[in-house]
Amino acid sequence: MAAPLVGEMEPAAAESVYFNEYPPPKALPKHEALARAFIQLHVEANRRVVLVTSGGTTVPLEAQTVRFIDNFSAGTRGATSAEYFLEQGYAVIFLHRQYSLLPYSRHYSHSTNCFLDFMDEAPPSADSAESGHGSIMVRDEYQDQMRSVLRKYRYAKQNNRLLLLPFTTVSEYMFELRSMAKIMRPIGPNALFYLAAAVSDFFIPRSRMAEHKIQSSELPAHLQGSAVGADDIYTGENEEQPSNRKKLVVNLDPVPKFLHRLVDGWAPEGSMVVSFKLETDPSLLVYKARTALQRYSHHLVIGNLLSTRKWEVVFITPDEPHERWIRVPKSKRSKSISGVEDQVGLAEAQKGNTVPLDQSEAEQISDASRDGIEIESIIIPELVKLHTKMVEKKTQE
Ligand code: 9Z3
């Protein structure tokens, strides 16, 4: 009988197999020390702490990695949500894919919002006459927005409210998640897990991974050895029109689902765990989100479709109303190049469960952003209400 795949084992057994197979990330001891100090500070202040995971994960094809599989996530959901959690008084551990979007700097990074477009060179003043250069300044039309972002950023930094921890591969993500959850134990019910990272579902186990760069052409016999075996590269013999070009066939295993272990083992007693479910097919979203909630027995699944994720999400909860849609009102939707507005509403199973936004709330929110409302500005306050309820229940027990 073939040995079970790690993704098919009991959660605790899968944990030890998986974590024994990989070396922990080099940065882990440093991250753990930073997180311990961060948690200590916020336990003393009796402050709530949220672990936000954000961005994609890579799946290396080689141990000395030249090539990897990746996914679309830029970390917008995570970085934006972190800002709204900070606004709600939470301290945030931001476990993110390296080089994905970060809270606050996201407003001025990457090519869509390049920081250089916000700046200008002032004409030379009397003081700068010698050099002939004016100082660099923020353009008039961006002053207010940038001041507001800068103040919030500096507040978070100076008051130790935000801890940024990067990862790259799916296994680094797993190690970091496990460590952070355990380190957060002293926080108890004040801890919240907000798992927005797009974690790869498939990977190559370490035992089957090529050590060196996979070769695209045959090596002479005396150089063959540690490279990927001939079985993994085939020449297309069974094709109708055989080609001479090499193909690479990649055989991936399912990544073990560690949400069970997070909920039942790693996370603090009484803490709240929120996972995300991403689908592209509207007819599957609610079903898959409900199934995830039943399977892992946690507290909330936030479902979203790739094409409408900036305008609507669904809260799937164990308690009434079970399915609750959160939507940005049509007039306040931001523009999105990849989004498909026609698909808003298609995934709703039980019509009429949308959270109404009262007018003043909507106006307040829209002032904060030039391009319409960010859906996270609605998601986070709604989620904080649920967390508050849980915390209150736990403290009464
Ligand atoms: C999400 O569903 C996030 O909302 C997005 C955010 C990744 C869609 P962006 O970074 O996108 O703002 O561009 N995250 C979770 C996706 C995921 O991998 N969920 C797992 C699944 O669906 C469960 S943990 O099976």
Side-chain angles (χ1 to χ4, degrees):
M1 207 172 79
L5 298 176
V6 71
E8 297 166 351
M9 293 175 184
E10 282 300 306
E15 177 183 344
S16 66
V17 171
Y18 185 88
F19 286 100
N20 283 334
E21 201 179 8
Y22 286 92
K26 285 206 182 82
L28 191 62
K30 189 178 132 209
H31 289 177
E32 288 175 335
L34 289 169
R36 272 192 206 102
F38 189 80
I39 291 301
Q40 165 105 29
L41 191 79
H42 296 297
V43 169
E44 281 163 17
N46 194 27
R47 189 168 288 115
R48 293 189 189 171
V49 179
V50 58
L51 176 81
V52 174
T53 71
S54 184
T57 56
T58 68
V59 173
L61 301 189
E62 301 120 339
Q64 296 190 38
T65 309
V66 174
R67 304 186 187 91
F68 53 84
I69 301 173
D70 203 351
N71 65 50
F72 72 95
S73 172
T76 312
R77 174 83 79 224
T80 311
S81 300
E83 288 181 20
Y84 290 104
F85 276 121
L86 288 160
E87 221 156 88
Q88 294 276 333
Y90 282 65
V92 178
I93 299 180
F94 191 67
L95 185 57
H96 64 283
R97 161 75 180 278
Q98 189 169 35
Y99 307 129
S100 62
L101 293 174
L102 295 177
Y104 304 120
S105 73
R106 73 181 170 102
H107 298 276
Y108 310 106
S109 55
H110 296 58
S111 54
T112 44
N113 268 338
C114 174
F115 73 98
L116 293 171
D117 292 331
F118 292 77
M119 300 168 94
D120 239 338
E121 197 177 330
S125 65
D127 293 348
S128 59
E130 221 169 90
S131 70
H133 300 306
S135 41
I136 302 296
M137 52 173 227
V138 172
R139 292 167 72 106
D140 279 350
E141 62 270 41
Y142 301 123
Q143 290 277 339
D144 289 345
Q145 195 224 4
M146 195 177 263
R147 185 180 305 105
S148 153
V149 173
L150 184 64
R151 281 184 183 165
K152 289 178 195 164
Y153 168 73
R154 294 185 74 88
Y155 180 87
K157 217 173 156 177
Q158 283 163 358
N159 293 285
N160 257 310
R161 295 290 170 88
L162 177 61
L163 178 62
L164 304 177
L165 302 177
F167 62 81
T168 303
T169 66
V170 65
S171 78
E172 285 171 6
Y173 166 84
M174 295 296 182
F175 271 98
E176 295 273 353
L177 178 64
R178 181 171 74 159
S179 282
M180 292 308 132
K182 290 181 178 176
I183 290 170
M184 284 169 72
R185 281 183 188 161
I187 299 279
N190 271 344
L192 173 61
F193 292 83
Y194 184 83
L195 308 175
V199 183
S200 172
D201 284 325
F202 301 101
F203 79 125
I204 302 183
R206 187 69 184 80
S207 54
R208 288 206 284 109
M209 196 185 288
E211 174 61 28
H212 293 288
K213 183 186 165 209
I214 296 169
Q215 294 299 312
S216 60
S217 56
E218 212 80 64
L219 289 175
H222 70 282
L223 288 178
Q224 282 176 14
S226 60
V228 158
D231 285 354
D232 292 327
I233 299 175
Y234 74 96
T235 52
E237 273 168 49
N238 298 328
E239 287 183 359
E240 278 173 20
Q241 286 183 321
S243 82
N244 293 328
R245 294 223 307 269
K246 294 278 184 193
K247 288 183 181 181
L248 173 65
V249 179
V250 183
N251 188 347
L252 301 170
D253 280 8
V255 170
K257 298 283 183 198
F258 284 125
L259 204 45
H260 260 307
R261 297 296 299 136
L262 178 72
V263 176
D264 280 350
W266 307 340
E269 197 77 31
S271 58
M272 181 174 190
V273 177
V274 180
S275 71
F276 275 78
K277 174 56 73 181
L278 172 69
E279 292 297 333
T280 56
D281 181 345
S283 66
L284 289 184
L285 181 64
V286 169
Y287 166 79
K288 293 293 290 277
R290 277 190 196 138
T291 310
L293 191 70
Q294 279 160 9
R295 180 168 301 150
Y296 304 112
S297 313
H298 53 308
H299 308 101
L300 171 66
V301 176
I302 302 183
N304 54 177
L305 286 179
L306 186 66
S307 57
T308 60
R309 68 188 191 281
K310 297 204 191 293
W311 307 310
E312 64 171 5
V313 299
V314 60
F315 275 25
I316 302 290
T317 46
D319 301 323
E320 294 270 341
H322 303 298
E323 176 188 336
R324 186 156 168 245
W325 284 86
I326 287 184
R327 291 206 173 91
V328 175
K330 204 171 170 40
S331 60
K332 303 220 173 339
R333 285 183 200 152
S334 56
K335 299 280 162 290
S336 160
I337 297 166
S338 56
V340 186
E341 233 184 309
D342 289 354
Q343 294 194 356
V344 170
L346 283 190
E348 185 167 350
Q350 296 161 29
K351 300 281 173 194
N353 279 324
T354 306
V355 178
L357 258 195
D358 75 46
Q359 195 56 33
S360 61
E361 229 174 354
E363 274 159 15
Q364 224 178 13
I365 293 165
S366 68
D367 284 347
S369 151
R370 286 177 304 128
D371 312 313
I373 294 182
E374 293 176 317
I375 193 166
E376 293 78 6
S377 69
I378 319 176
I379 296 175
I380 304 309
E382 288 302 322
L383 175 51
V384 169
K385 282 185 211 161
L386 295 178
H387 189 204
T388 301
K389 260 195 211 163
M390 262 189 76
V391 172
E392 283 170 358
K393 217 168 127 191
K394 295 279 167 199
T395 45
Q396 278 159 17
E397 274 170 11

